[in-house]
């Protein structure tokens, strides 16, 4: 297989804030794996600065890895396990891009979607939420009014959290999910969560620091709303601790290192009694369409990353006004770049 890389800067439609900071642009790498006959698969690695990723070093790491793929040719799902062995030294986000490109290639080879390759149940899965980034309450209110949606995930962790939710609730009966992105102390969470429940919030994601499993366990026992792990749940190794400390998990395929390990996390989380949500980073429709392959196995979904962009360079899965996925008829992940000839790819 041949490896090609396309670095892009994805401009956001609006500044997007979390407790980790504010951003207006999302660097990303589109990865292409192609065979000698021109068949190819696409994947994506969003280069989130919070995880210490930047374009030049990540592109160099992938290009250096490229020659290792010269004799590798995926023909079945088990071959993607071999890819993970080959790429074990790469950052999980980069392994994810390779994993997704391999799944996309294999699906195209067999004329099937990735979820069909996995024998997915014939259900659409849950609707996606739409995220309102952390900001001043009035600006968050304005952003919400610009995009009417049945389920909002609202970023909190600032100084005006209750005021924000009261302001947003005054304008809509939509479902509210809250993501604090580690922004609260235990005492703050214990005080604010019951008040959020009274305002119709249905779920709290990652209220405390990522390594505070004991704090989350105590919080879970003292509040009624389900507590969902995000930063505390990076990969399958974290599941036992999360089963002890949380009601559920939010899987990110980027953190898990791809679709294959993400699906393994889902399969293992169920017997542990964990609710299963999957989320995304700020990604193009390449990454979102890959995430959407998990929908039949999920309780909740947060796949709005491409909707937050000013100009999505790709086409793939879309979502109707009720939040349900409208997948394309294309095999693989069901996505493509709008104008592939307009780009200059770096090749290994």
């Amino acid at each position: 297989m041949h490896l090609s890389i396309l670095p892009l800067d994805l401009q956001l439609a609006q500044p997007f804030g979390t407790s980790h900071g504010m951003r207006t642009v999302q660097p990303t790498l589109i990865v292409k794996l192609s065979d000698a006959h021109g068949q190819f698969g696409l994947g994506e690695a969003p280069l989130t600065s919070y995880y210490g990723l930047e374009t030049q070093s990540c592109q160099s790491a992938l290009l250096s890895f490229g020659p290792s793929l010269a004799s590798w040719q995926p023909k079945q799902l088990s071959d993607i396990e071999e890819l993970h062995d080959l790429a074990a030294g790469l950052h999980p986000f980069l392994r994810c891009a390779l994993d997704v490109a391999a799944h996309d290639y294999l699906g195209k080879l067999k004329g099937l979607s990735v979820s069909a390759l996995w024998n997915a149940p014939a259900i659409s899965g849950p609707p996606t939420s739409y995220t309102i980034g952390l900001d001043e309450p009035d600006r968050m209110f304005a952003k919400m009014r610009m995009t009417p949606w049945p389920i909002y995930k609202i970023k909190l962790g600032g100084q005006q959290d209750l005021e924000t939710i009261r302001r947003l609730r005054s304008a809509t009966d939509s479902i509210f999910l809250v993501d604090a992105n580690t922004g609260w102390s235990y005492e703050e969470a214990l005080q604010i969560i019951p008040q959020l429940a009274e305002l119709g919030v249905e779920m709290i994601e990652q209220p405390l620091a990522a390594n505070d499993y004991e704090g989350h366990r105590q919080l879970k026992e003292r509040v009624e709303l389900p507590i969902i792990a995000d930063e505390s749940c990076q990969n399958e190794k974290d599941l036992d601790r999360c089963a002890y400390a949380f009601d559920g998990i939010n899987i990110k395929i980027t953190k898990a290192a791809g679709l294959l390990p993400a699906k393994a996390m889902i399969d293992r989380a169920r017997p542990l009694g964990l609710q299963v949500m999957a989320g995304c980073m700020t990604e193009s429709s390449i990454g979102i369409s890959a995430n959407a392959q998990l929908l039949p196995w999920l309780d909740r979904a947060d796949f709005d990353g491409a909707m937050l962009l000013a100009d999505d360079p790709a086409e793939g899965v879309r979502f109707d006004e009720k939040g349900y996925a409208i997948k394309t008829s294309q095999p693989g992940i069901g996505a493509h770049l709008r104008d592939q000839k307009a780009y200059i790819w770096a090749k290994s």
Side-chain angles (χ1 to χ4, degrees):
M1 298 292 284
H2 302 286
L3 173 65
S4 303
I5 303 166
L6 177 64
L8 295 173
D9 284 334
L10 305 176
Q11 300 294 324
L12 276 65
Q14 299 283 340
F16 186 83
T18 72
S19 61
H20 303 311
M22 184 80 69
R23 65 182 186 274
T24 58
V25 63
Q26 175 63 64
T28 197
L29 295 179
I30 305 298
V31 169
K32 178 164 65 175
L33 292 176
S34 54
D35 64 20
H37 306 289
Q39 182 66 274
F40 65 90
L42 296 175
E44 182 170 3
L47 305 181
T48 307
S49 59
Y50 174 68
Y51 293 95
L53 300 172
E54 61 88 27
T55 300
Q56 190 57 52
S57 61
C58 289
Q59 181 169 315
S60 297
L62 281 169
L63 290 175
S64 297
F65 172 73
S68 302
L69 297 172
S71 60
W72 178 75
Q73 183 75 39
K75 297 181 179 178
Q76 53 194 2
L77 285 172
S78 60
D79 292 328
I80 300 179
E81 295 179 6
E82 182 184 355
L83 173 63
H84 279 276
D85 291 338
L86 289 171
L90 292 176
H91 190 280
F93 281 46
L94 304 184
R95 296 206 311 272
C96 174
L98 294 168
D99 167 290
V100 169
H103 276 94
D104 189 37
Y105 173 86
L106 191 60
K108 290 173 179 174
L109 200 65
K110 297 182 179 295
L112 297 170
S113 69
V114 171
S115 57
L117 286 176
W118 291 339
N119 298 313
I123 56 175
S124 62
T128 186
S129 53
Y130 181 86
T131 305
I132 305 296
L134 181 63
D135 208 329
E136 293 296 321
D138 286 348
R139 284 198 283 266
M140 294 175 71
F141 180 85
K143 290 176 184 179
M144 188 188 74
R145 294 297 296 268
M146 288 173 60
T147 308
W149 205 255
I151 309 172
Y152 291 106
K153 187 164 93 165
I154 302 162
K155 299 284 190 178
L156 296 183
Q159 299 299 313
Q160 305 176 77
D161 287 341
L162 277 174
E163 178 186 344
T164 295
I165 295 299
R166 291 191 183 106
R167 181 89 167 91
L168 299 183
R169 179 52 79 202
S170 70
T172 181
D173 293 326
S174 294
I175 293 170
F176 281 2
L177 315 175
V178 158
D179 184 2
N181 283 118
T182 75
W184 295 333
S185 68
Y186 176 81
E187 290 75 18
E188 288 170 333
L190 195 60
Q191 180 181 35
I192 195 173
I193 289 174
Q195 298 178 76
L196 293 176
E198 292 176 0
L199 291 166
V201 172
E202 294 190 1
M203 185 199 85
I204 306 294
E205 186 176 335
Q206 197 67 51
L208 312 180
N211 62 356
D212 190 2
Y213 291 92
E214 179 58 26
H216 280 106
R217 183 194 66 79
Q218 294 182 32
L219 190 63
K220 179 182 73 167
E221 293 182 352
R222 296 186 65 181
V223 300
E224 294 183 5
L225 294 184
I227 307 297
I228 308 299
D230 183 2
E231 284 88 344
S232 295
C233 188
Q234 304 288 319
N235 51 52
E236 191 173 355
K237 295 178 181 178
D238 296 323
L239 287 179
D240 287 332
R241 289 188 296 181
C242 286
Y244 162 82
F246 294 89
D247 297 294
I249 57 172
N250 183 1
I251 296 171
K252 305 282 182 67
I253 67 170
T254 47
K255 298 179 189 179
L259 286 166
L260 198 68
K263 181 61 168 59
M265 289 178 71
I266 294 172
D267 293 342
R268 184 143 179 269
R270 291 300 186 190
L272 292 172
L274 288 164
Q275 299 176 32
V276 178
M277 176 180 181
C280 63
M281 313 302 281
T282 307
E283 303 168 66
S284 79
S285 285
I286 301 296
I288 299 303
S289 297
N291 279 285
Q293 304 304 312
L294 299 175
L295 279 166
W297 294 277
L298 302 179
D299 299 313
R300 291 190 187 272
D302 181 36
F303 293 157
D304 64 338
M307 289 190 276
L308 303 176
L309 300 180
D311 184 21
D312 187 352
E315 293 180 346
V317 65
R318 296 179 294 110
F319 297 92
D320 66 20
E321 69 279 359
K322 294 183 179 181
Y324 289 98
I326 304 171
K327 296 182 180 179
T328 71
S329 59
Q330 300 173 54
I333 61 172
H336 63 275
L337 287 167
R338 293 178 187 274
D339 187 3
Q340 296 198 48
K341 295 181 179 179
Y343 299 115
I344 299 175
W345 295 75
K347 298 181 179 181
S348 62

